[in-house]
Amino acid sequence: MRKIRGLILFSGGLDSILAAKILMEQKIKLKGITFKSYFFNEEQAKKAAKQIKLPLKIIDFSKEHLKIVKSPKYGYGKAINPCIDCHILMLKTAKRIMKKEKFDFIITGDVLGERPMSQNKQALGLIKKESKLGGYLLQPLSAKLLKETIPEKLGWVNRKELFDISGRSRKKQIALAEKYRIKEYPTPAGGCLLTDLEFAKRLKELLKIYPRCNDNDIELLKLGRHFLENRTKIIVGRNEQEDKTIKRLAKRQDVLVEMKNYPGPLTLIRNYQRGKISKKIIERAQELTQYYSFKARHKKDVKFDIIKK
Ligand code: SF4
């Protein structure tokens, strides 16, 4: 008999690990897919996939993902996380792979009511509808609370062995992890920068002054102390490693400021409006560079290097 093949969206969080284990128990041949973008990476998924011996494909969807972050059809969660649009994009990508690589159905570790924005009944229905997966999307942790899917109807998967988990408590998942002897799993906080309120503040500010921002601008948001003067950003490195990365990210028309005669941070000035960087902004960047140098903060003999890229 032909083996039934499932494609699972695998973040490496506990829910996706359990969803995979439940179907592995039912002898479904699984392959995981995980996504990476400017805002999260694949490391957690790689580690977890190794633990449960799940073959994993990594998909870099950074550019498409940034588009929905800039303008989500279904809005943001608490920070700048467009979770509904993000789920839809992942499922649409998974559907393409399902068709191309001839998988029988798609699995996710979604738990009804666990996340307020993207896992309530209405949102799960919407995600299913928009991704056009119909009955080919199975969510084994909450399956018994949801409509029967095609894999269940056709007997590929035994519905009786699926679960009726809902809500934010993770007690049932933790008990299941013990049953399956899953020793390592990450905390539910996840690794998506878009849910971080501080990062969200920086990104919202950037989108307002420069909606065309790209990967380079996003990388800079992850580093240093940020100051906004009109539509010009001054970014002061917080340590040697950040200074090196800031230097690498500097591009044409940026200005770099550093002290000649004291150790201290590297500061980058990026103008998001047309025209030259004013003398006043350069002076402000010098002030900040000196202020954040422990050794130079109160000195009167500081000299600067101003490097125009
Ligand atoms: S938390 Fe981040 S990765 Fe997860 S669904 Fe929301 S936007 Fe996507």
Side-chain angles (χ1 to χ4, degrees):
M1 210 179 96
R2 182 177 75 88
K3 266 251 180 207
I4 300 299
R5 297 169 74 230
L7 185 65
I8 179 164
L9 261 65
F10 191 77
S11 67
L14 180 57
D15 294 340
S16 65
I17 296 176
L18 293 175
K21 286 300 280 186
I22 291 164
L23 292 189
M24 283 172 167
E25 290 265 297
Q26 296 210 23
K27 308 286 179 237
I28 302 292
K29 194 167 181 210
L30 286 186
K31 180 170 179 177
I33 51 170
T34 196
F35 293 84
K36 65 189 258 189
S37 86
Y38 301 137
F39 308 101
F40 50 87
N41 64 32
E42 72 281 25
E43 292 310 318
Q44 181 177 290
K46 268 165 70 179
K47 208 169 142 194
K50 200 171 163 201
Q51 192 188 177
I52 61 168
K53 298 190 175 62
L54 174 77
L56 187 69
K57 180 183 178 104
I58 297 157
I59 297 168
D60 183 344
F61 73 158
S62 304
K63 288 203 164 75
E64 288 161 282
H65 192 243
L66 180 58
K67 275 189 202 157
I68 60 156
V69 172
K70 287 181 178 180
S71 161
K73 186 170 170 191
Y74 296 104
Y76 299 116
K78 266 195 186 148
I80 191 163
N81 45 317
C83 292
I84 294 182
D85 294 79
C86 181
H87 263 71
I88 294 169
L89 180 59
M90 287 179 182
L91 282 173
K92 280 184 173 168
T93 312
K95 190 182 171 190
R96 279 203 300 275
I97 297 171
M98 176 174 96
K99 285 198 161 168
K100 195 171 156 210
E101 298 185 20
K102 299 196 172 21
F103 283 91
D104 296 293
F105 64 107
I106 288 174
I107 303 112
T108 70
D110 285 312
V111 170
L112 196 61
E114 189 177 81
R115 294 202 180 128
M117 183 186 188
S118 57
Q119 291 180 332
N120 61 63
K121 211 162 192 166
Q122 201 189 356
L124 286 184
L126 180 68
I127 288 163
K128 200 167 175 174
K129 192 173 150 222
E130 286 263 357
S131 58
K132 297 195 174 67
L133 272 164
Y136 286 92
L137 174 62
L138 177 71
Q139 288 138 335
L141 291 167
S142 294
K144 285 184 173 166
L145 304 170
L146 301 166
K147 237 172 104 182
E148 203 177 8
T149 60
I150 289 168
E152 294 163 87
K153 281 182 191 160
L154 295 180
W156 299 340
V157 170
N158 182 355
R159 186 170 171 88
K160 286 190 192 137
E161 305 286 318
L162 303 179
F163 291 83
D164 59 354
I165 303 174
S166 70
R168 309 196 72 173
S169 158
R170 299 218 311 158
K171 270 192 193 153
K172 286 187 180 171
Q173 286 97 313
I174 290 167
L176 264 182
E178 274 171 30
K179 179 184 157 196
Y180 292 130
R181 297 203 173 89
I182 307 292
K183 293 194 180 80
E184 278 178 55
Y185 49 87
T187 55
C192 177
L193 262 178
L194 298 168
T195 59
D196 179 303
L197 291 173
E198 216 23 66
F199 183 79
K201 214 167 111 193
R202 285 185 180 186
L203 181 55
K204 280 180 187 169
E205 186 182 81
L206 177 65
L207 290 176
K208 212 164 154 188
I209 58 167
Y210 191 57
R212 287 192 293 129
C213 61
N214 62 19
D215 53 335
N216 181 295
D217 302 295
I218 307 281
E219 283 309 305
L220 270 182
L221 288 188
K222 299 175 189 170
L223 306 161
R225 301 175 178 89
H226 284 233
F227 304 87
L228 184 65
E229 302 282 331
N230 293 321
R231 288 176 65 196
T232 303
K233 275 263 183 155
I234 300 174
I235 300 159
V236 186
R238 286 175 295 198
N239 53 50
E240 222 181 310
Q241 188 52 46
E242 283 198 349
D243 291 350
K244 274 189 194 157
T245 315
I246 289 172
K247 197 173 219 166
R248 179 174 57 76
L249 290 171
K251 56 186 188 186
R252 219 159 65 85
Q253 291 179 341
D254 288 345
V255 169
L256 290 170
V257 176
E258 61 187 341
M259 287 175 291
K260 275 184 186 172
N261 50 342
Y262 285 97
L266 179 76
T267 296
L268 178 139
I269 312 175
R270 180 166 291 176
N271 188 1
Y272 283 110
Q273 58 197 340
R274 284 200 182 153
K276 271 174 62 183
I277 293 170
S278 69
K279 202 170 156 228
K280 205 173 139 204
I281 298 274
I282 293 179
E283 280 167 7
R284 174 76 180 129
Q286 287 174 333
E287 254 173 52
L288 289 165
T289 309
Q290 181 173 353
Y291 180 82
Y292 285 108
S293 162
F294 180 66
K295 291 201 168 145
R297 186 173 285 182
H298 302 293
K299 302 290 182 188
K300 297 230 180 314
D301 60 343
V302 178
K303 293 190 179 71
F304 293 94
D305 261 334
I306 310 294
I307 307 148
K308 296 191 176 161
K309 298 294 285 183

